[in-house]
Amino acid sequence: MAEQTAPPQRNGGPDTPGAGTEKPDAAVVRDALGVGVAVGLSGFAFGVTSAGSGLTLLQTCALSLLVFTGASQFALVGALAAGGNPYTAAAGAFFLGIRNAFYGLRLSQLLALPRALRPLAAQWVIDETTAVTLPQPTRRAARIGFTVTGLTLYALWNLTTLVGALGAEALGDTDAWGLDAASPAVFLALLAPMLKSTTERVTAGLAVLLVLGLLPVLPAGAPVLVSALAAPVVLVLKGRRGSGTEKTVTEGTTHTKGSR
């Protein structure tokens, strides 16, 4: 009787796309387009900021075409604009973008793309495509969400980067517009709902404090690198706290047994 009343699961366990409820393709496309268009338009801000920091039109467009991860691109041009060392700026952008490799580990299982397509799809593994793909209930929906978000965002991001770089001179002082905060704001908006546990929130908060505290002290780009230390610090403290709690419980159990 239990087997008859249990809901059927397709393609494996609950972590496998296809195990949940079907979602109309039109709904997936609508959600993907919403994210792709909204974020893709912020490429204009990057084009303006990059041109204002001294990069040429070719360099600006090459960053969007080849790097294609907004937070890292803004980190790079922001550090250069602040007079930071190019190598430090590049290192900061690299370590900020390394998160996409971890996204790829999860998405590769969900999408299960043919080997020939994986190198091409890797270019689109970013915050936005991950945010749209992971909640999808089926593999088909995950593939549609990933493809539509990636294609829309890549096309718009590069187009608006070009427009922004060309129109930078017309805007004048780009710092006065605060456009460099556009992509980081989008990144934080996508990241915030994922910080569900206390450990994740404490880690994020400590990383923010490290960056803000070290900005006046370290060269531009370096605070981003140092903020990565927030994760191991929180994990070490959590481990010690867990060990202390376990020790207390063990001692309490021993005392109880002894009293009997």
Side-chain angles (χ1 to χ4, degrees):
M1 292 296 292
E3 292 181 357
Q4 294 177 356
T5 57
Q9 290 186 351
R10 294 163 293 175
N11 298 335
D15 293 335
T16 305
T21 307
E22 293 285 348
K23 184 176 182 179
D25 292 349
V28 180
V29 172
R30 181 193 63 228
D31 295 342
L33 284 174
V35 173
V37 172
V39 180
L41 293 176
S42 63
F44 176 81
F46 171 72
V48 172
T49 304
S50 180
S53 67
L55 270 67
T56 66
L57 177 64
L58 180 60
Q59 291 171 330
T60 297
C61 291
L63 278 174
S64 284
L65 285 168
L66 302 177
V67 178
F68 187 55
T69 170
S72 296
Q73 291 178 232
F74 272 104
L76 176 63
V77 299
L80 293 176
N85 184 286
Y87 295 104
T88 303
F94 172 79
F95 283 107
L96 189 58
I98 202 70
R99 69 189 185 281
N100 295 332
F102 296 98
Y103 294 161
L105 294 176
R106 179 59 176 151
L107 292 183
S108 64
Q109 298 176 351
L110 295 179
L111 299 174
L113 297 173
R115 290 184 179 274
L117 294 179
R118 291 177 187 177
L120 299 176
Q123 177 70 352
W124 291 353
V125 176
I126 54 176
D127 303 312
E128 291 78 11
T129 54
T130 303
V132 172
T133 303
L134 289 181
Q136 302 305 330
T138 64
R139 175 160 287 132
R140 174 182 173 83
R143 288 178 172 179
I144 293 174
F146 178 83
T147 303
V148 175
T149 305
L151 180 61
T152 305
L153 184 51
Y154 190 77
L156 276 178
W157 180 266
N158 283 281
L159 177 61
T160 54
T161 293
L162 174 62
V163 173
L166 291 174
E169 293 185 3
L171 289 175
D173 184 10
T174 56
D175 291 339
W177 293 83
L179 295 176
D180 56 332
S183 184
V186 172
F187 173 69
L188 290 176
L190 291 169
L191 177 65
M194 299 182 182
L195 302 177
K196 298 179 180 179
S197 69
T198 302
T199 302
E200 293 170 346
R201 292 169 182 166
V202 171
T203 302
L206 179 58
V208 171
L209 292 176
L210 284 173
V211 171
L212 295 178
L214 294 175
L215 274 176
V217 181
L218 297 181
V224 175
L225 299 178
V226 179
S227 67
L229 296 175
V233 168
V234 172
L235 291 176
V236 168
L237 294 176
K238 181 182 178 182
R240 290 182 177 179
R241 182 181 179 183
S243 299
T245 303
E246 183 179 353
K247 182 178 179 181
T248 302
V249 171
T250 303
E251 291 176 349
T253 304
T254 304
H255 177 72
T256 302
K257 290 181 179 180
S259 62
R260 289 182 181 177

